[in-house]
Amino acid sequence: MEILTGNELTSGGTVYLDAHNNWVEDLQAARLFGKEETAERDAALVATKAGGRVISLEIEEVSQADGQIVPKRLRERIRAAGPTAPLTLNGEIYDRQHLDEDGHVSI
């Protein structure tokens, strides 16, 4: 199985394509593409590239364990979970960037 992932252009946030062709932050909401769905997967890639809102698109191999989507690569597991150390600046802890309700992040 595969998923599509990328980074939202304005925030850099990690996003995943869901079953409704929306880009979302939740890995568990990602659409799973089977081997017989490469045409649909590739069409989604082309449409996303044309939009320019999500960049650094990648096809990631995943598996399912206990009903959860699990990326096969460590890099992707870290991208999904967020930084491995707290982000701090002048003693304040910052959260990762998130999409707004409409799927966009304001700067």
Side-chain angles (χ1 to χ4, degrees):
M1 290 178 284
E2 297 171 333
I3 61 170
L4 294 180
T5 184
N7 292 92
E8 202 272 333
L9 180 62
T10 55
S11 70
T14 301
V15 290
Y16 306 92
L17 185 70
D18 73 4
H20 306 289
N21 293 323
N22 295 313
W23 289 92
V24 297
E25 293 182 6
D26 183 8
L27 169 65
Q28 299 309 314
R31 177 182 175 177
L32 296 172
F33 291 92
K35 292 184 181 198
E36 69 285 350
E37 297 175 297
T38 56
E40 292 91 343
R41 182 202 66 203
D42 292 347
L45 280 172
V46 169
T48 300
K49 286 179 181 176
R53 183 175 152 242
V54 177
I55 60 172
S56 303
L57 294 167
E58 292 194 34
I59 300 167
E60 285 294 327
E61 287 189 45
V62 297
S63 61
Q64 284 191 298
D66 298 325
Q68 299 290 304
I69 298 172
V70 180
K72 291 192 175 183
R73 292 192 313 159
L74 174 61
R75 172 188 179 270
E76 192 56 34
R77 291 194 296 272
I78 292 171
R79 286 182 75 233
T84 56
L87 298 175
T88 61
L89 179 63
N90 297 327
E92 290 187 47
I93 296 176
Y94 290 89
D95 193 10
R96 61 182 269 197
Q97 289 281 335
H98 296 281
L99 298 174
D100 283 340
E101 289 182 15
D102 66 355
H104 291 273
V105 174
S106 299
I107 297 177

